[in-house]
Amino acid sequence: MRHIISITDLSLDEIARLIDTARDIIEHPLKYRDLCRYKKLATLFFEPSTRTRLSFEAAMYELGGQVLAVSEAASSSVAKGESVADTIRTVSCYADIIAMRHPKEGAPTVASFHASVPVINAGDGGHNHPTQTLTDLLTIMQEKGRLDHLTVGLCGDLKFGRTVHSLISAMCRYPGVRFVLVSPEELKVPSYVKIPLKQGQVPYSQTTDLRSVMPELDILYMTRVQRERFFNEDDYIRLRDSYILTPEKLENAKPDLTIMHPLPRVNEISVAVDQDPRAAYFRQVRYGKYIRMALILMLLEVQA
Ligand code: NCD
Protein backbone atom coordinates (compact mmCIF):
# COMPACT_ATOMS: atom_id res chain seq x y z
CA MET A 1 0.00 0.00 0.00
CA ARG A 2 1.30 3.42 -1.02
CA HIS A 3 0.83 6.77 0.70
CA ILE A 4 1.72 10.13 -0.88
CA ILE A 5 2.89 12.41 1.89
CA SER A 6 5.66 14.24 0.05
CA ILE A 7 6.31 14.70 -3.66
CA THR A 8 9.56 12.75 -3.18
CA ASP A 9 7.43 9.66 -2.44
CA LEU A 10 7.10 9.52 -6.24
CA SER A 11 10.00 8.71 -8.55
CA LEU A 12 10.56 10.79 -11.68
CA ASP A 13 9.30 7.83 -13.74
CA GLU A 14 6.11 7.69 -11.73
CA ILE A 15 5.58 11.43 -12.11
CA ALA A 16 6.09 11.08 -15.87
CA ARG A 17 3.52 8.25 -15.94
CA LEU A 18 1.00 10.30 -13.94
CA ILE A 19 1.42 13.20 -16.37
CA ASP A 20 0.94 10.84 -19.34
CA THR A 21 -2.20 9.39 -17.77
CA ALA A 22 -3.59 12.87 -17.01
CA ARG A 23 -3.00 13.89 -20.63
CA ASP A 24 -4.71 10.73 -21.86
CA ILE A 25 -7.68 11.47 -19.57
CA ILE A 26 -7.93 14.98 -21.07
CA GLU A 27 -8.06 13.44 -24.56
CA HIS A 28 -10.18 10.35 -23.85
CA PRO A 29 -12.32 11.06 -20.77
CA LEU A 30 -14.88 8.36 -21.57
CA LYS A 31 -12.27 5.62 -21.28
CA TYR A 32 -11.93 6.45 -17.58
CA ARG A 33 -15.46 7.12 -16.45
CA ASP A 34 -16.21 3.76 -14.77
CA LEU A 35 -12.80 2.68 -13.56
CA CYS A 36 -13.46 3.43 -9.87
CA ARG A 37 -17.03 2.19 -9.69
CA TYR A 38 -17.83 0.99 -6.14
CA LYS A 39 -14.70 2.73 -4.79
CA LYS A 40 -14.94 5.50 -2.22
CA LEU A 41 -12.65 8.46 -1.59
CA ALA A 42 -12.81 10.15 1.83
CA THR A 43 -11.83 13.82 1.85
CA LEU A 44 -10.89 14.91 5.37
CA PHE A 45 -10.29 18.65 5.24
CA PHE A 46 -9.55 20.26 8.57
CA GLU A 47 -8.50 23.55 6.93
CA PRO A 48 -10.28 25.70 4.32
CA SER A 49 -10.11 24.59 0.69
CA THR A 50 -11.95 25.15 -2.57
CA ARG A 51 -9.80 23.78 -5.38
CA THR A 52 -8.03 20.91 -3.69
CA ARG A 53 -11.10 19.38 -2.08
CA LEU A 54 -13.45 19.92 -5.01
CA SER A 55 -10.90 18.71 -7.55
CA PHE A 56 -10.33 15.52 -5.54
CA GLU A 57 -14.07 14.99 -5.32
CA ALA A 58 -14.69 15.82 -8.99
CA ALA A 59 -11.82 13.47 -9.88
CA MET A 60 -13.40 10.56 -8.00
CA TYR A 61 -16.87 11.22 -9.46
CA GLU A 62 -15.42 11.37 -12.98
CA LEU A 63 -13.86 7.96 -12.39
CA GLY A 64 -17.30 6.60 -11.47
CA GLY A 65 -16.51 6.43 -7.75
CA GLN A 66 -18.09 8.01 -4.72
CA VAL A 67 -17.04 10.49 -2.07
CA LEU A 68 -17.32 10.72 1.71
CA ALA A 69 -16.53 14.29 2.73
CA VAL A 70 -15.61 15.98 5.98
CA SER A 71 -15.06 19.63 5.18
CA GLU A 72 -14.35 21.04 8.64
CA ALA A 73 -13.09 19.78 11.98
CA ALA A 74 -16.09 21.32 13.76
CA SER A 75 -18.50 18.91 12.07
CA SER A 76 -16.54 15.73 12.92
CA SER A 77 -15.45 13.97 16.11
CA VAL A 78 -12.16 15.88 15.89
CA ALA A 79 -14.13 18.65 17.64
CA LYS A 80 -14.73 16.20 20.51
CA GLY A 81 -10.99 15.66 20.87
CA GLU A 82 -10.52 12.50 18.76
CA SER A 83 -6.91 11.83 17.71
CA VAL A 84 -5.75 11.71 14.08
CA ALA A 85 -4.90 8.03 14.64
CA ASP A 86 -8.41 7.09 15.75
CA THR A 87 -10.10 9.19 13.06
CA ILE A 88 -8.02 7.50 10.39
CA ARG A 89 -8.58 3.99 11.72
CA THR A 90 -12.30 4.72 11.54
CA VAL A 91 -12.30 6.27 8.08
CA SER A 92 -10.19 3.35 6.77
CA CYS A 93 -13.21 1.12 7.51
CA TYR A 94 -15.43 3.12 5.15
CA ALA A 95 -13.22 4.43 2.34
CA ASP A 96 -10.76 2.90 -0.15
CA ILE A 97 -8.52 5.97 -0.24
CA ILE A 98 -8.18 9.12 1.89
CA ALA A 99 -7.15 12.68 1.02
CA MET A 100 -6.33 14.67 4.15
CA ARG A 101 -5.65 18.38 4.76
CA HIS A 102 -4.59 19.38 8.25
CA PRO A 103 -3.23 22.56 9.89
CA LYS A 104 -0.53 20.59 11.72
CA GLU A 105 2.66 19.72 9.85
CA GLY A 106 3.10 15.95 9.86
CA ALA A 107 -0.54 15.04 10.54
CA PRO A 108 -0.90 13.11 7.24
CA THR A 109 2.30 11.20 8.09
CA VAL A 110 0.77 10.16 11.42
CA ALA A 111 -2.41 9.27 9.55
CA SER A 112 -0.46 7.03 7.18
CA PHE A 113 0.91 5.01 10.15
CA HIS A 114 -2.63 4.13 11.20
CA ALA A 115 -4.42 3.80 7.85
CA SER A 116 -5.26 0.53 6.17
CA VAL A 117 -5.89 2.37 2.86
CA PRO A 118 -3.72 4.86 0.92
CA VAL A 119 -3.44 8.36 2.42
CA ILE A 120 -2.74 11.41 0.28
CA ASN A 121 -1.46 14.60 1.90
CA ALA A 122 -3.70 17.40 0.60
CA GLY A 123 -1.67 20.05 2.45
CA ASP A 124 -0.19 19.94 5.98
CA GLY A 125 0.30 23.32 7.63
CA GLY A 126 3.19 25.28 6.17
CA HIS A 127 4.99 22.10 5.14
CA ASN A 128 4.04 20.21 1.97
CA HIS A 129 1.37 20.01 -0.71
CA PRO A 130 2.35 17.23 -3.14
CA THR A 131 -0.85 17.13 -5.23
CA GLN A 132 -0.62 20.86 -5.93
CA THR A 133 2.89 20.14 -7.15
CA LEU A 134 1.64 17.38 -9.45
CA THR A 135 -0.86 19.94 -10.77
CA ASP A 136 1.97 22.44 -11.24
CA LEU A 137 4.16 19.89 -13.06
CA LEU A 138 1.32 18.96 -15.43
CA THR A 139 0.75 22.69 -16.04
CA ILE A 140 4.43 23.27 -16.81
CA MET A 141 4.44 20.29 -19.22
CA GLN A 142 1.32 21.59 -20.97
CA GLU A 143 2.63 25.16 -21.18
CA LYS A 144 6.34 24.57 -21.77
CA GLY A 145 6.53 21.00 -23.10
CA ARG A 146 9.31 20.11 -20.64
CA LEU A 147 10.24 20.07 -16.94
CA ASP A 148 13.98 20.55 -17.42
CA HIS A 149 16.16 23.53 -18.36
CA LEU A 150 13.87 26.16 -16.91
CA THR A 151 14.46 29.22 -14.74
CA VAL A 152 11.72 29.15 -12.14
CA GLY A 153 10.91 32.30 -10.16
CA LEU A 154 9.02 31.75 -6.92
CA CYS A 155 7.62 34.94 -5.43
CA GLY A 156 5.79 35.87 -2.24
CA ASP A 157 5.54 33.93 0.99
CA LEU A 158 8.26 31.35 0.51
CA LYS A 159 8.47 30.66 4.24
CA PHE A 160 4.97 29.41 4.93
CA GLY A 161 3.89 28.58 1.35
CA ARG A 162 3.71 24.78 1.30
CA THR A 163 3.14 24.67 -2.46
CA VAL A 164 6.52 26.36 -2.93
CA HIS A 165 8.29 23.84 -0.68
CA SER A 166 6.90 20.87 -2.59
CA LEU A 167 7.54 22.47 -5.99
CA ILE A 168 11.20 23.08 -5.10
CA SER A 169 11.60 19.44 -3.95
CA ALA A 170 10.10 18.26 -7.22
CA MET A 171 11.77 20.54 -9.73
CA CYS A 172 15.28 20.36 -8.29
CA ARG A 173 15.36 16.76 -9.57
CA TYR A 174 15.23 17.84 -13.25
CA PRO A 175 18.42 18.83 -15.09
CA GLY A 176 19.07 22.47 -15.94
CA VAL A 177 16.49 23.87 -13.52
CA ARG A 178 17.47 27.10 -11.77
CA PHE A 179 15.47 28.83 -9.02
CA VAL A 180 15.08 32.54 -8.39
CA LEU A 181 13.60 33.00 -4.92
CA VAL A 182 11.87 36.36 -4.50
CA SER A 183 10.52 37.28 -1.07
CA PRO A 184 10.77 39.78 1.75
CA GLU A 185 13.61 38.99 4.18
CA GLU A 186 11.13 37.66 6.77
CA LEU A 187 9.49 35.26 4.31
CA LYS A 188 12.52 33.54 2.80
CA VAL A 189 12.52 29.81 1.99
CA PRO A 190 13.29 27.82 5.20
CA SER A 191 16.74 26.28 5.26
CA TYR A 192 15.43 22.69 5.33
CA VAL A 193 13.80 23.28 1.93
CA LYS A 194 17.15 24.43 0.51
CA ILE A 195 19.02 21.28 1.59
CA PRO A 196 18.31 19.36 -1.66
CA LEU A 197 19.36 22.44 -3.66
CA LYS A 198 22.70 22.52 -1.87
CA GLN A 199 23.19 18.75 -2.03
CA GLY A 200 22.32 18.55 -5.72
CA GLN A 201 24.28 21.72 -6.53
CA VAL A 202 21.12 23.18 -8.06
CA PRO A 203 21.70 26.86 -8.84
CA TYR A 204 19.50 29.37 -7.03
CA SER A 205 19.53 33.04 -6.17
CA GLN A 206 17.59 34.99 -3.56
CA THR A 207 16.36 38.56 -3.89
CA THR A 208 13.71 40.93 -2.61
CA ASP A 209 13.34 42.63 -6.02
CA LEU A 210 11.01 41.00 -8.52
CA ARG A 211 11.45 43.62 -11.24
CA SER A 212 15.20 43.12 -11.58
CA VAL A 213 14.94 39.34 -12.13
CA MET A 214 11.83 39.34 -14.34
CA PRO A 215 13.72 39.12 -17.70
CA GLU A 216 15.44 35.85 -16.63
CA LEU A 217 12.30 33.89 -15.81
CA ASP A 218 10.65 31.11 -17.81
CA ILE A 219 8.10 30.55 -15.05
CA LEU A 220 6.84 33.01 -12.46
CA TYR A 221 5.05 31.25 -9.59
CA MET A 222 3.26 33.85 -7.46
CA THR A 223 1.98 32.99 -3.98
CA ARG A 224 -0.31 34.46 -1.35
CA VAL A 225 1.06 35.67 1.98
CA GLN A 226 -0.23 32.93 4.30
CA ARG A 227 -2.13 34.98 6.86
CA GLU A 228 -3.22 31.92 8.90
CA ARG A 229 0.40 30.99 9.68
CA PHE A 230 1.46 34.37 11.13
CA PHE A 231 1.88 34.81 14.85
CA ASN A 232 0.72 38.40 14.73
CA GLU A 233 -1.61 40.32 12.47
CA ASP A 234 0.61 43.44 12.29
CA ASP A 235 3.38 41.46 10.57
CA TYR A 236 0.87 40.09 8.10
CA ILE A 237 -0.49 43.56 7.32
CA ARG A 238 3.03 44.90 6.82
CA LEU A 239 4.03 42.08 4.46
CA ARG A 240 0.84 41.17 2.61
CA ASP A 241 1.28 43.58 -0.30
CA SER A 242 5.03 43.10 -0.76
CA TYR A 243 4.49 41.98 -4.37
CA ILE A 244 1.59 42.86 -6.61
CA LEU A 245 2.02 41.66 -10.17
CA THR A 246 0.68 44.20 -12.69
CA PRO A 247 0.89 44.44 -16.52
CA GLU A 248 3.57 47.16 -16.13
CA LYS A 249 5.79 44.87 -14.07
CA LEU A 250 5.58 42.31 -16.88
CA GLU A 251 6.91 44.72 -19.50
CA ASN A 252 10.45 43.31 -19.43
CA ALA A 253 9.35 39.65 -19.02
CA LYS A 254 9.96 36.97 -21.65
CA PRO A 255 7.23 36.76 -24.31
CA ASP A 256 6.79 33.08 -23.44
CA LEU A 257 6.82 33.46 -19.65
CA THR A 258 4.32 31.20 -17.85
CA ILE A 259 2.61 32.90 -14.89
CA MET A 260 1.34 30.45 -12.30
CA HIS A 261 -0.37 30.70 -8.90
CA PRO A 262 -1.81 27.84 -6.82
CA LEU A 263 -4.73 30.15 -5.86
CA PRO A 264 -6.54 31.53 -3.94
CA ARG A 265 -5.23 34.93 -4.98
CA VAL A 266 -5.73 37.77 -2.55
CA ASN A 267 -4.00 40.83 -3.95
CA GLU A 268 -0.73 39.56 -5.38
CA ILE A 269 -1.80 39.43 -9.04
CA SER A 270 -3.82 42.32 -10.39
CA VAL A 271 -6.94 41.15 -12.29
CA ALA A 272 -5.62 43.11 -15.29
CA VAL A 273 -2.98 40.37 -15.70
CA ASP A 274 -5.73 37.76 -16.26
CA GLN A 275 -6.09 38.94 -19.91
CA ASP A 276 -2.41 38.25 -20.61
CA PRO A 277 -2.05 34.99 -22.58
CA ARG A 278 0.92 34.16 -20.33
CA ALA A 279 -1.38 33.99 -17.28
CA ALA A 280 -1.76 30.22 -16.80
CA TYR A 281 -3.31 30.10 -13.32
CA PHE A 282 -6.86 29.29 -14.38
CA ARG A 283 -5.63 26.62 -16.80
CA GLN A 284 -3.60 25.32 -13.84
CA VAL A 285 -6.84 24.91 -11.84
CA ARG A 286 -8.30 22.72 -14.59
CA TYR A 287 -5.27 20.43 -14.68
CA GLY A 288 -5.64 19.74 -10.93
CA LYS A 289 -8.60 17.46 -11.49
CA TYR A 290 -6.95 15.36 -14.20
CA ILE A 291 -3.71 14.76 -12.31
CA ARG A 292 -5.68 13.77 -9.20
CA MET A 293 -7.67 11.29 -11.31
CA ALA A 294 -4.35 9.82 -12.45
CA LEU A 295 -3.06 9.65 -8.86
CA ILE A 296 -6.20 7.94 -7.54
CA LEU A 297 -5.93 5.32 -10.32
CA MET A 298 -2.28 4.71 -9.49
CA LEU A 299 -2.83 4.34 -5.74
CA LEU A 300 -5.87 2.09 -6.19
CA GLU A 301 -3.89 0.08 -8.74
CA VAL A 302 -6.61 0.42 -11.37
CA GLN A 303 -5.53 0.04 -15.02
CA ALA A 304 -7.27 1.87 -17.86
C1 NCD B 1 -2.72 26.48 -1.66
C2 NCD B 1 -2.68 25.80 -0.31
O1 NCD B 1 -3.72 25.41 0.24
O2 NCD B 1 -1.57 25.65 0.17
N1 NCD B 1 -4.00 26.41 -2.26
C3 NCD B 1 -4.29 25.29 -3.00
O3 NCD B 1 -4.30 24.19 -2.51
N2 NCD B 1 -4.50 25.46 -4.31
C4 NCD B 1 -2.17 27.85 -1.67
C5 NCD B 1 -2.69 28.85 -0.68
O4 NCD B 1 -3.59 28.59 0.09
O5 NCD B 1 -2.16 29.97 -0.71
Side-chain angles (χ1 to χ4, degrees), residues 45-63:
F45 275 62
F46 303 127
E47 256 195 350
S49 171
T50 302
R51 275 147 292 268
T52 306
R53 185 167 68 84
L54 295 186
S55 66
F56 262 116
E57 296 179 2
M60 195 52 164
Y61 285 125
E62 289 208 16
L63 292 167

Side-chain angles (χ1 to χ4, degrees), residues 126 154-162 164-165 168 180-191 193-194 205-208 221 223-243 268:
L154 298 152
C155 177
D157 185 347
L158 309 189
K159 177 179 182 188
F160 295 119
R162 56 194 173 195
V164 166
H165 305 163
I168 290 175
V180 180
L181 308 173
V182 187
S183 73
E185 279 299 321
E186 293 98 318
L187 299 180
K188 278 159 78 173
V189 174
S191 45
V193 176
K194 284 189 274 190
S205 61
Q206 297 190 99
T207 178
T208 55
Y221 193 96
T223 61
R224 169 180 76 89
V225 176
Q226 307 276 302
R227 179 181 198 164
E228 63 276 36
R229 316 258 178 251
F230 276 71
F231 292 113
N232 85 63
E233 184 75 1
D234 290 344
D235 286 345
Y236 167 70
I237 291 168
R238 186 167 51 80
L239 294 167
R240 68 180 168 189
D241 291 333
S242 301
Y243 303 98
E268 55 283 347

Side-chain angles (χ1 to χ4, degrees), residues 62 92 107 162 169 174 200 220 228 236 248:
E62 289 208 16
S92 293
R162 56 194 173 195
S169 322
Y174 296 93
L220 172 57
E228 63 276 36
Y236 167 70
E248 299 72 59

Side-chain angles (χ1 to χ4, degrees), residues 28-282:
H28 310 286
L30 296 184
K31 214 168 104 184
Y32 292 85
R33 71 173 172 190
D34 281 327
L35 293 182
C36 286
R37 194 189 275 213
Y38 308 121
K39 300 278 187 197
K40 286 183 258 50
L41 163 75
T43 50
L44 306 183
F45 275 62
F46 303 127
E47 256 195 350
S49 171
T50 302
R51 275 147 292 268
T52 306
R53 185 167 68 84
L54 295 186
S55 66
F56 262 116
E57 296 179 2
M60 195 52 164
Y61 285 125
E62 289 208 16
L63 292 167
Q66 284 158 321
V67 173
L68 306 170
V70 174
S71 58
E72 51 175 351
S75 65
S76 74
S77 286
V78 171
K80 299 180 186 171
E82 188 171 55
S83 66
V84 167
D86 288 2
T87 302
I88 286 293
R89 272 196 203 103
T90 304
V91 176
S92 293
C93 300
Y94 310 138
D96 301 285
I97 184 164
I98 297 171
M100 178 194 234
R101 170 169 288 191
H102 202 286
K104 289 220 173 88
E105 289 81 5
T109 306
V110 173
S112 70
F113 297 153
H114 300 278
S116 50
V117 299
V119 173
I120 304 170
N121 177 5
D124 63 326
H127 189 214
N128 276 330
H129 194 346
T131 63
Q132 180 62 45
T133 296
L134 289 173
T135 304
D136 300 340
L137 297 177
L138 173 59
T139 307
I140 294 168
M141 273 303 276
Q142 297 290 92
E143 300 284 321
K144 287 274 180 267
R146 65 182 194 280
L147 294 170
D148 52 303
H149 297 93
L150 291 167
T151 297
V152 183
L154 298 152
C155 177
D157 185 347
L158 309 189
K159 177 179 182 188
F160 295 119
R162 56 194 173 195
T163 65
V164 166
H165 305 163
S166 294
L167 188 57
I168 290 175
S169 322
M171 290 220 58
C172 73
R173 295 195 280 171
Y174 296 93
V177 168
R178 196 167 73 84
F179 294 97
V180 180
L181 308 173
V182 187
S183 73
E185 279 299 321
E186 293 98 318
L187 299 180
K188 278 159 78 173
V189 174
S191 45
Y192 82 88
V193 176
K194 284 189 274 190
I195 292 171
L197 300 183
K198 290 179 178 150
Q199 281 173 347
Q201 296 183 337
V202 178
Y204 70 92
S205 61
Q206 297 190 99
T207 178
T208 55
D209 181 15
L210 178 59
R211 205 183 281 267
S212 67
V213 295
M214 191 67 91
E216 305 168 29
L217 307 180
D218 297 308
I219 291 166
L220 172 57
Y221 193 96
M222 294 296 294
T223 61
R224 169 180 76 89
V225 176
Q226 307 276 302
R227 179 181 198 164
E228 63 276 36
R229 316 258 178 251
F230 276 71
F231 292 113
N232 85 63
E233 184 75 1
D234 290 344
D235 286 345
Y236 167 70
I237 291 168
R238 186 167 51 80
L239 294 167
R240 68 180 168 189
D241 291 333
S242 301
Y243 303 98
I244 301 175
L245 188 66
T246 57
E248 299 72 59
K249 288 190 187 147
L250 286 163
E251 268 162 18
N252 61 352
K254 287 190 182 173
D256 65 344
L257 172 72
T258 299
I259 307 166
M260 298 172 64
H261 191 309
L263 302 180
R265 134 176 82 180
V266 182
N267 207 22
E268 55 283 347
I269 303 183
S270 132
V271 289
V273 175
D274 299 359
Q275 321 306 323
D276 191 312
R278 296 171 291 185
Y281 31 92
F282 290 111

